Amino acid sequence: MMEHLNNDFLIDYLHGQLPPEDDALAHAHLESCASCRGEYEAEAALGEALRSTARAEELEFPSMIAAEIWQQVRDARPSLASQLASLFRPAIAVPVAAVAVVALYFAAPLAQYAGTPAKHVSANYYLEEHAAQQAQNPLGERSPTAAQLIESSAADIGNAADLAEAADAPPLAMMAAADASR
Amino acid sequence: MGAPRVPLEPPTPEQKAFLERAMQQYGKATYNFAYRLTGNEADARDLTQDAFIRVYRAWRSFQPGTSFLSWIYRIVTNLHRDELRRRKGRFQEELPEDNAPANFGGQRPLAVTPIEDYVERQLGEPLSKALGQLSAEQRQVVVLADIEEYSYQEIAEIMGCSIGTVRSRLHRARALLRRLVERAQRPT
């Protein structure tokens, strides 16, 4: 007669956890061995008793559990870390970044002066500089050459009048001559 | 339970909806599972509450398409084990020699107790009492294998151990359970 199946083997068989060949072996043995079948039924009965007890004692979900959980959720306050992290949310980070970029764009020319203190410039420097610029400006009122330029241009105008007179003279003279000849 | 209170973050709308749905669909099963493990309603409430708070915190780590029930059973199982360790101060995995599975050998007693007898004799109370005498791990494995009817593979994933460990724990737990129940039934 074949050796009896031990209970560990029967428990695995009962839970359908034996490899197929062992499962077939157990099945065949239980068909022919009353002793093992009895033991198997006792194991099966234990499982059934556990389930029926669980069903009989089944409890409803107490509403106080949900109430307590929701209370904890309602009391939840954001931690410092999450508050800081929330600053990097797109809804905040994008506009902030846009403003920063625009500000940086306009502030960039100032940046080259940043750090170096402004040099002290005396008013005399500006006055001298201004005078020097004026001196070089041919159209400046205070340019020393201005008077000369005006004089020379006036002289040019005078010459031009003479030339014009000279140019006009022959026709006039010819007219006079023509009158005279008539 | 004595879990450290790390402050909760306010929920996002999705997170709130997730928690609401989780409690609606799985609150009862989770609570009953916790009750099976703890054996009393007050501890089951605490355990269930802690488990859902953990779900709330870690809701993003839930993989859609996987079993939510397995996930929360895993959370409950871990919390239950941690709580018992905290209470006992030490972890008692091994049973005394007395509780080792009986080696019936050739002369084991012929089992004559049919399924109906167990149920008809109203085993509920002695069985619940016997469950309470198992170690946390043994109780977990019996509840998962025989009441929730998970496979050894699934139980290994829930309990975070090997299939071999599941198998040996279940064997021991059932052997002990049968002894305790038979002792309780024996007329004195």
PDB file of all heavy atoms in Angstrom, chain A residues 30-43:
ATOM      1  N   LEU A  30      -6.121  10.072  -2.987  1.00  0.00           N
ATOM      2  CA  LEU A  30      -7.294  10.340  -2.152  1.00  0.00           C
ATOM      3  C   LEU A  30      -8.495   9.504  -2.604  1.00  0.00           C
ATOM      4  O   LEU A  30      -9.375   9.170  -1.803  1.00  0.00           O
ATOM      5  CB  LEU A  30      -7.644  11.835  -2.178  1.00  0.00           C
ATOM      6  CG  LEU A  30      -6.680  12.730  -1.414  1.00  0.00           C
ATOM      7  CD1 LEU A  30      -7.007  14.203  -1.644  1.00  0.00           C
ATOM      8  CD2 LEU A  30      -6.715  12.422   0.090  1.00  0.00           C
ATOM      9  N   GLU A  31      -8.521   9.142  -3.901  1.00  0.00           N
ATOM     10  CA  GLU A  31      -9.596   8.296  -4.418  1.00  0.00           C
ATOM     11  C   GLU A  31      -9.566   6.925  -3.746  1.00  0.00           C
ATOM     12  O   GLU A  31     -10.610   6.330  -3.500  1.00  0.00           O
ATOM     13  CB  GLU A  31      -9.432   8.106  -5.935  1.00  0.00           C
ATOM     14  CG  GLU A  31      -9.729   9.352  -6.752  1.00  0.00           C
ATOM     15  CD  GLU A  31     -11.223   9.607  -6.870  1.00  0.00           C
ATOM     16  OE1 GLU A  31     -11.910   8.762  -7.457  1.00  0.00           O
ATOM     17  OE2 GLU A  31     -11.675  10.643  -6.356  1.00  0.00           O
ATOM     18  N   SER A  32      -8.358   6.474  -3.461  1.00  0.00           N
ATOM     19  CA  SER A  32      -8.220   5.074  -3.032  1.00  0.00           C
ATOM     20  C   SER A  32      -7.942   4.926  -1.538  1.00  0.00           C
ATOM     21  O   SER A  32      -8.050   3.829  -1.008  1.00  0.00           O
ATOM     22  CB  SER A  32      -7.100   4.391  -3.820  1.00  0.00           C
ATOM     23  OG  SER A  32      -5.888   5.080  -3.593  1.00  0.00           O
ATOM     24  N   CYS A  33      -7.563   6.024  -0.854  1.00  0.00           N
ATOM     25  CA  CYS A  33      -7.159   5.889   0.546  1.00  0.00           C
ATOM     26  C   CYS A  33      -8.125   6.624   1.470  1.00  0.00           C
ATOM     27  O   CYS A  33      -8.153   7.854   1.515  1.00  0.00           O
ATOM     28  CB  CYS A  33      -5.734   6.411   0.735  1.00  0.00           C
ATOM     29  SG  CYS A  33      -5.186   6.341   2.455  1.00  0.00           S
ATOM     30  N   ALA A  34      -8.905   5.881   2.215  1.00  0.00           N
ATOM     31  CA  ALA A  34      -9.913   6.469   3.100  1.00  0.00           C
ATOM     32  C   ALA A  34      -9.261   7.265   4.215  1.00  0.00           C
ATOM     33  O   ALA A  34      -9.765   8.306   4.628  1.00  0.00           O
ATOM     34  CB  ALA A  34     -10.801   5.362   3.679  1.00  0.00           C
ATOM     35  N   SER A  35      -8.148   6.774   4.702  1.00  0.00           N
ATOM     36  CA  SER A  35      -7.458   7.459   5.792  1.00  0.00           C
ATOM     37  C   SER A  35      -7.043   8.864   5.365  1.00  0.00           C
ATOM     38  O   SER A  35      -7.300   9.842   6.076  1.00  0.00           O
ATOM     39  CB  SER A  35      -6.236   6.630   6.197  1.00  0.00           C
ATOM     40  OG  SER A  35      -5.401   7.400   7.036  1.00  0.00           O
ATOM     41  N   CYS A  36      -6.411   8.935   4.219  1.00  0.00           N
ATOM     42  CA  CYS A  36      -5.960  10.244   3.726  1.00  0.00           C
ATOM     43  C   CYS A  36      -7.151  11.129   3.364  1.00  0.00           C
ATOM     44  O   CYS A  36      -7.120  12.347   3.558  1.00  0.00           O
ATOM     45  CB  CYS A  36      -5.046  10.080   2.525  1.00  0.00           C
ATOM     46  SG  CYS A  36      -3.403   9.507   2.998  1.00  0.00           S
ATOM     47  N   ARG A  37      -8.207  10.494   2.851  1.00  0.00           N
ATOM     48  CA  ARG A  37      -9.384  11.277   2.480  1.00  0.00           C
ATOM     49  C   ARG A  37      -9.993  11.918   3.726  1.00  0.00           C
ATOM     50  O   ARG A  37     -10.400  13.066   3.724  1.00  0.00           O
ATOM     51  CB  ARG A  37     -10.399  10.389   1.762  1.00  0.00           C
ATOM     52  CG  ARG A  37     -11.439  11.186   0.984  1.00  0.00           C
ATOM     53  CD  ARG A  37     -12.145  10.337  -0.051  1.00  0.00           C
ATOM     54  NE  ARG A  37     -12.759   9.140   0.495  1.00  0.00           N
ATOM     55  CZ  ARG A  37     -12.399   7.880   0.162  1.00  0.00           C
ATOM     56  NH1 ARG A  37     -11.443   7.682  -0.742  1.00  0.00           N
ATOM     57  NH2 ARG A  37     -12.999   6.823   0.702  1.00  0.00           N
ATOM     58  N   GLY A  38     -10.015  11.158   4.781  1.00  0.00           N
ATOM     59  CA  GLY A  38     -10.541  11.687   6.048  1.00  0.00           C
ATOM     60  C   GLY A  38      -9.715  12.878   6.523  1.00  0.00           C
ATOM     61  O   GLY A  38     -10.267  13.901   6.943  1.00  0.00           O
ATOM     62  N   GLU A  39      -8.423  12.735   6.404  1.00  0.00           N
ATOM     63  CA  GLU A  39      -7.548  13.815   6.842  1.00  0.00           C
ATOM     64  C   GLU A  39      -7.713  15.039   5.946  1.00  0.00           C
ATOM     65  O   GLU A  39      -7.727  16.185   6.414  1.00  0.00           O
ATOM     66  CB  GLU A  39      -6.090  13.325   6.822  1.00  0.00           C
ATOM     67  CG  GLU A  39      -5.149  14.155   7.658  1.00  0.00           C
ATOM     68  CD  GLU A  39      -5.567  14.250   9.135  1.00  0.00           C
ATOM     69  OE1 GLU A  39      -6.175  13.293   9.665  1.00  0.00           O
ATOM     70  OE2 GLU A  39      -5.307  15.313   9.724  1.00  0.00           O
ATOM     71  N   TYR A  40      -7.862  14.761   4.672  1.00  0.00           N
ATOM     72  CA  TYR A  40      -8.081  15.859   3.723  1.00  0.00           C
ATOM     73  C   TYR A  40      -9.378  16.595   4.057  1.00  0.00           C
ATOM     74  O   TYR A  40      -9.441  17.823   4.058  1.00  0.00           O
ATOM     75  CB  TYR A  40      -8.131  15.319   2.282  1.00  0.00           C
ATOM     76  CG  TYR A  40      -8.610  16.337   1.287  1.00  0.00           C
ATOM     77  CD1 TYR A  40      -7.740  17.332   0.832  1.00  0.00           C
ATOM     78  CD2 TYR A  40      -9.919  16.322   0.814  1.00  0.00           C
ATOM     79  CE1 TYR A  40      -8.172  18.292  -0.064  1.00  0.00           C
ATOM     80  CE2 TYR A  40     -10.357  17.278  -0.090  1.00  0.00           C
ATOM     81  CZ  TYR A  40      -9.496  18.265  -0.518  1.00  0.00           C
ATOM     82  OH  TYR A  40      -9.929  19.210  -1.401  1.00  0.00           O
ATOM     83  N   GLU A  41     -10.410  15.821   4.375  1.00  0.00           N
ATOM     84  CA  GLU A  41     -11.700  16.454   4.689  1.00  0.00           C
ATOM     85  C   GLU A  41     -11.626  17.285   5.961  1.00  0.00           C
ATOM     86  O   GLU A  41     -12.283  18.321   6.070  1.00  0.00           O
ATOM     87  CB  GLU A  41     -12.796  15.385   4.778  1.00  0.00           C
ATOM     88  CG  GLU A  41     -13.258  14.952   3.392  1.00  0.00           C
ATOM     89  CD  GLU A  41     -14.143  13.706   3.404  1.00  0.00           C
ATOM     90  OE1 GLU A  41     -14.455  13.195   4.506  1.00  0.00           O
ATOM     91  OE2 GLU A  41     -14.519  13.247   2.304  1.00  0.00           O
ATOM     92  N   ALA A  42     -10.813  16.845   6.887  1.00  0.00           N
ATOM     93  CA  ALA A  42     -10.639  17.626   8.119  1.00  0.00           C
ATOM     94  C   ALA A  42      -9.958  18.963   7.804  1.00  0.00           C
ATOM     95  O   ALA A  42     -10.353  20.003   8.340  1.00  0.00           O
ATOM     96  CB  ALA A  42      -9.806  16.839   9.123  1.00  0.00           C
ATOM     97  N   GLU A  43      -8.978  18.901   6.934  1.00  0.00           N
ATOM     98  CA  GLU A  43      -8.304  20.157   6.532  1.00  0.00           C
ATOM     99  C   GLU A  43      -9.274  21.070   5.782  1.00  0.00           C
ATOM    100  O   GLU A  43      -9.298  22.283   6.006  1.00  0.00           O
ATOM    101  CB  GLU A  43      -7.078  19.860   5.648  1.00  0.00           C
ATOM    102  CG  GLU A  43      -5.916  19.162   6.353  1.00  0.00           C
ATOM    103  CD  GLU A  43      -5.208  20.029   7.396  1.00  0.00           C
ATOM    104  OE1 GLU A  43      -5.518  21.234   7.497  1.00  0.00           O
ATOM    105  OE2 GLU A  43      -4.377  19.481   8.135  1.00  0.00           O
TER     106      GLU A  43
END
